[in-house]
Amino acid sequence: MKTFTYARADSVEEALAALAEPGTQLMAGGTELVNWLKEGIEQPDRLVDITRLPLRGIEEAHVLRIGALTTMSEVQASPWVRRNYPVLAESLLRAASPQLRNMATIGGNLQQRTRCPYFRSDTPVPCNKREPGSGCSALSGETGGLAIFGWSEQCVATHPSDLAVALAALDATIVVRSAEGERRIPATEFHTLPGDEPARTTELRPDELIVAVELPYIAPNSFYLKVRERVSYEFAVVSAAAAVSLAGNEIASAHVALGGVAHRPWRLTAAEAALSGVAIDDKAALGRAIEQSFVDARPLAGNEYKVILAQRAAVRALMTAGGAV
Ligand SMILES: Cc1cc2nc3c(=O)[nH]c(=O)nc-3n(C[C@H](O)[C@H](O)[C@H](O)COP(=O)(O)OP(=O)(O)OC[C@H]3O[C@@H](n4cnc5c(N)ncnc54)[C@H](O)[C@@H]3O)c2cc1C
Ligand code: SF4
């Protein structure tokens, strides 16, 4: 492991000044970053600990604002969040382990990187995300966990954050700050698609810090369904975040996003339009509406199962959000 210096930032301004120095990595909970150091994914000259910055806490109002340094456990345990945003609380409760959630922060969660095994490999293998231009081992290798939407020949990885999927469904905003001031990025656009720039994961610039996440409305009828290979301490094979408002038994509006299917949370916009007026307990009609968003699906040999799994997860999440199961 390369030698690096360690310093602690006592103010946001200090952290931003540190970011202006090339070779700096910010450290929040350290649960992802320390793995990168060990695996050689990142080799910074200096680590700047940001855990003492005043970016921790939950402001409960009509607009919910969560400081970037609030831990996953703190958000998940908030009675306000559990009551008004079950989808958010569930996405956090189903992530990682209690020990990790006690350390890991909301900002760090959004900045985590893919779990593609070739990207995380101990011995270097071709991976355009890790070494641009080296190739993509996954395309000709183990394809079971890869993307079915929005991938490119450069990279077919998925993003592993559960939280990001819930935030995309809830039309959240990621508030970021640089020396130039504040900028607001819709959660649906915060994570990038690989295109020709597979090394990139988010829209965050190197000189920017995530300061908060904001949610514009409450979503008491919402749910997060995570499908994984074992019941705890495992990343999603596929996940679905759904929020509905009902007029009697019918859907007045629906928000649905999928995880485990793309390099970013995948919002089902076409399906959302088709869901309007559908009875919340009509499983077949819900399924037909969800299918509207799968015309663009491009599964690979080995991950075709995700198409039907994701559709069923979305239907189940909707029905649970609407109280029909
Ligand atoms: C074994 C294991 C299992 C896991 N399982 C899951 C899972 O099932 N679901 C899931 O969603 N996640 C899972 N995770 C990921 C976990 O949620 C992340 O490791 C964690 O959220 C990262 O937060 P952190 O505060 O520790 O970030 P750090 O490790 O401190 O930082 C990670 C990156 O984020 C950057 N960063 C941190 N805060 C900010 C900020 N405010 N502004 C800008 N950049 C920032 C850092 O510079 C660094 O580049 C798992 C992790 C592990 C190790
Ligand atoms: S899918 Fe992406 S992360 Fe995985 S090997 Fe290919 S380029 Fe690397």
Side-chain angles (χ1 to χ4, degrees), residues 196-242:
D196 294 330
E197 229 184 324
R200 203 155 171 208
T201 300
T202 69
E203 287 292 339
L204 196 75
R205 298 194 314 247
D207 64 337
E208 287 177 323
L209 176 74
I210 303 172
V211 292
V213 167
E214 286 184 359
L215 287 98
Y217 48 77
I218 61 167
N221 296 322
S222 63
F223 189 68
Y224 185 74
L225 179 72
K226 182 170 178 175
V227 182
R228 47 188 164 171
E229 288 181 353
R230 57 182 181 197
V231 288
S232 80
Y233 202 26
E234 188 55 278
F235 290 93
V237 173
V238 155
S239 68

Side-chain angles (χ1 to χ4, degrees), residues 97-170:
S97 65
Q99 292 86 349
L100 284 162
R101 295 195 297 268
N102 286 341
M103 292 295 294
T105 64
I106 297 304
N109 183 286
L110 296 175
Q111 286 288 93
Q112 67 179 288
R113 305 222 187 128
T114 183
R115 290 278 154 179
C116 173
Y118 303 100
F119 175 75
R120 302 262 173 178
S121 171
D122 289 340
T123 47
V125 294
C127 170
N128 287 323
K129 188 176 271 301
R130 197 148 159 186
E131 187 59 49
S134 63
C136 172
S137 296
L139 259 179
S140 56
E142 177 49 56
T143 55
L146 301 177
I148 58 171
F149 289 110
W151 52 271
S152 74
E153 294 297 325
Q154 297 272 318
C155 180
V156 276
T158 58
H159 195 269
S161 167
D162 294 297
L163 167 71
V165 183
L167 294 181
L170 293 173

Side-chain angles (χ1 to χ4, degrees), residues 16 175-184 205 207-209 211:
L16 292 176
V175 186
V176 307
R177 194 181 301 168
S178 71
E180 291 157 21
E182 222 164 74
R183 165 167 101 92
R184 302 167 64 79
R205 298 194 314 247
D207 64 337
E208 287 177 323
L209 176 74
V211 292

Side-chain angles (χ1 to χ4, degrees), residues 244-255:
V244 289
S245 58
L246 298 173
N249 195 40
E250 290 181 0
I251 294 176
S253 72
H255 295 191

